[in-house]
Amino acid sequence: MEQLKTVNLAILGVGTIGRAVVRLIHEQSDRIAEQTGIQLTIRYAMARSIERVKAAGLRPEQAITSAEPALADPNVDVVVEVLGGEEPAASIMHAALERGKHVVTANKEALAKHFAALSAIARANNRALLFEASVGGGIPLMASLRQILATNRVSQLRGIVNGTTNFILTQMAEHSTPYHEALQEAQRLGYAEPDSTADVEGYDAAYKLAILASLAAKKQIHPENIERIGITQVTPEEIAEARRRGGVIKLLAQATEENGTWRLRVAPEFVPGDSLLAHVRLNFNAIEVTGDRVGTVVLYGQGAGPLPTASAIVSDVLDAIRFGGALTPAIAPA
Ligand code: HSE
């Protein structure tokens, strides 16, 4: 049998997503090894306390309470950053790339705000900076975008990129569920951010749109340049009125480039019933990408939830090992 390549991981964060990554690796590592020849090993897991790491199903000797031991260990190949939030996540990713580790992240806020700097340090060190899980959960969106962008100029991106708000709007429209009840259910299902303001006020969608638009523009587009309106002011009456008009209200993220200028907006919008986006329900996301040669491509799947997100993260880990720094996009500063 072919010799397995052992890959040592440091998983930073054992919240909802971190725990799902640990579980996926524990349950699937034999199958992954068989399919790819890569044996994934969790060398470290970082949390605020050793107890939290143990509660995630790991041994105490794998537990760290700061990133430093993982960054200092030359045997760590890939750092999986699932801490969330801008800091310390952005600084840790920077340090990990500087020390020659590949970085896989699900962190849309840190990436959207520091995309150019992180991509530059990754490329300078010939390391992978991969972030499939940061937008669209389990949808193979970045892989598809990479392919489209290789041969197309992309001048429009449009879609539903937040699972929590889409779940809430679906429940309000289809079952007249009160807003707060639907939000609690989204939290229980592991869709919502630790502070759900990020979801319902549209910040999360704006970070994701900034990442997508930066990739299309090949230049950092800052989230503060995105007009943003959340769903907290959407009333049951407006939802009923949209139904009477034959459509639904969706939180849409839209980026359009004209003569080198990008217009970006996240806001609740009326979507006619005959549009594909009107049929994107619950925690699902759909992103329309329009290229000058391929036309419009729609990518659809579960945009939030521990299992789809963990699936995207572990795929990125495998890609980081197989393809390395070649996959890191070049993003110029704004
Ligand atoms: N809170 C996010 C959402 C998680 O609901 O879409 C996935 O990025």
Side-chain angles (χ1 to χ4, degrees):
M1 200 181 119
E2 207 186 321
Q3 182 98 36
L4 287 178
K5 179 179 170 65
T6 298
V7 167
N8 290 308
L9 309 180
I11 300 178
L12 308 184
V14 290
T16 310
I17 305 302
R19 285 197 303 273
V21 171
V22 169
R23 216 176 122 194
L24 194 155
I25 291 171
H26 283 170
E27 289 174 359
Q28 300 288 325
S29 65
D30 288 350
R31 203 181 56 81
I32 290 170
E34 203 175 294
Q35 283 199 350
T36 65
I38 296 172
Q39 179 71 59
L40 296 178
T41 305
I42 302 173
R43 178 72 190 85
Y44 301 101
M46 178 184 129
R48 277 190 301 276
S49 72
I50 291 178
E51 288 315 308
R52 278 177 65 84
V53 175
K54 279 163 58 187
L58 293 159
R59 298 186 306 277
E61 61 270 25
Q62 292 170 294
I64 51 176
T65 53
S66 95
E68 192 45 39
L71 302 186
D73 185 339
N75 294 317
V76 170
D77 304 292
V78 184
V79 169
V80 175
E81 187 279 308
V82 280
L83 292 164
E86 182 179 1
E87 288 295 355
S91 301
I92 290 174
M93 286 194 275
H94 199 279
L97 291 162
E98 216 166 24
R99 297 201 204 174
K101 319 229 176 267
H102 300 298
V103 167
V104 170
T105 183
N107 187 332
K108 42 254 152 142
E109 180 175 359
L111 195 61
K113 293 181 177 171
H114 300 271
F115 208 174
L118 289 171
S119 110
I121 190 79
R123 289 169 64 85
N125 288 282
N126 191 24
R127 284 296 169 268
L129 168 67
L130 297 180
F131 42 87
E132 181 67 81
S134 67
V135 189
I139 305 171
L141 177 60
M142 299 306 163
S144 307
L145 257 184
R146 241 187 335 258
Q147 195 184 35
I148 293 170
L149 285 167
T151 47
N152 284 258
R153 190 163 145 236
V154 169
S155 54
Q156 192 173 325
L157 297 147
R158 178 173 176 264
I160 295 166
V161 294
N162 182 270
T164 300
T165 47
N166 202 50
F167 181 85
I168 294 171
L169 291 172
T170 305
Q171 298 299 59
M172 288 174 77
E174 296 183 7
H175 306 288
S176 303
T177 308
Y179 168 86
H180 283 288
E181 210 175 286
L183 171 58
Q184 275 173 9
E185 181 66 357
Q187 287 171 323
R188 195 187 62 76
L189 291 165
Y191 302 156
E193 296 303 302
D195 174 1
S196 58
T197 312
D199 295 300
V200 298
E201 296 293 0
Y203 291 100
D204 178 85
Y207 298 145
K208 291 167 174 169
L209 187 63
I211 293 169
L212 295 176
S214 297
L215 286 166
K218 299 179 170 45
K219 179 179 90 167
Q220 181 158 8
I221 290 176
H222 278 284
E224 61 259 36
N225 296 332
I226 300 178
E227 187 189 340
R228 175 191 50 77
I229 305 170
I231 65 158
T232 51
Q233 305 302 317
V234 177
T235 63
E237 291 70 32
E238 285 170 318
I239 290 174
E241 175 58 19
R243 186 181 316 121
R244 272 193 291 279
R245 289 171 60 200
V248 286
I249 293 178
K250 294 288 187 192
L251 184 70
L252 290 190
Q254 307 184 66
T256 312
E257 184 258 349
E258 243 174 81
N259 304 321
T261 304
W262 283 85
R263 278 186 296 114
L264 303 112
R265 175 177 156 92
V266 169
E269 309 263 358
F270 174 77
V271 178
D274 60 3
S275 158
L276 264 179
L277 293 182
H279 302 277
V280 177
R281 299 171 59 251
L282 303 168
N283 64 324
F284 281 74
N285 285 185
I287 295 101
E288 296 175 356
V289 182
T290 304
D292 58 353
R293 287 172 171 74
V294 74
T296 297
V297 173
V298 186
L299 297 143
Y300 169 81
Q302 289 193 71
L307 295 182
T309 308
S311 153
I313 289 170
V314 177
S315 295
D316 268 356
V317 169
L318 298 169
D319 276 356
I321 297 305
R322 286 182 293 199
F323 306 111
L327 294 183
T328 303
I331 305 291

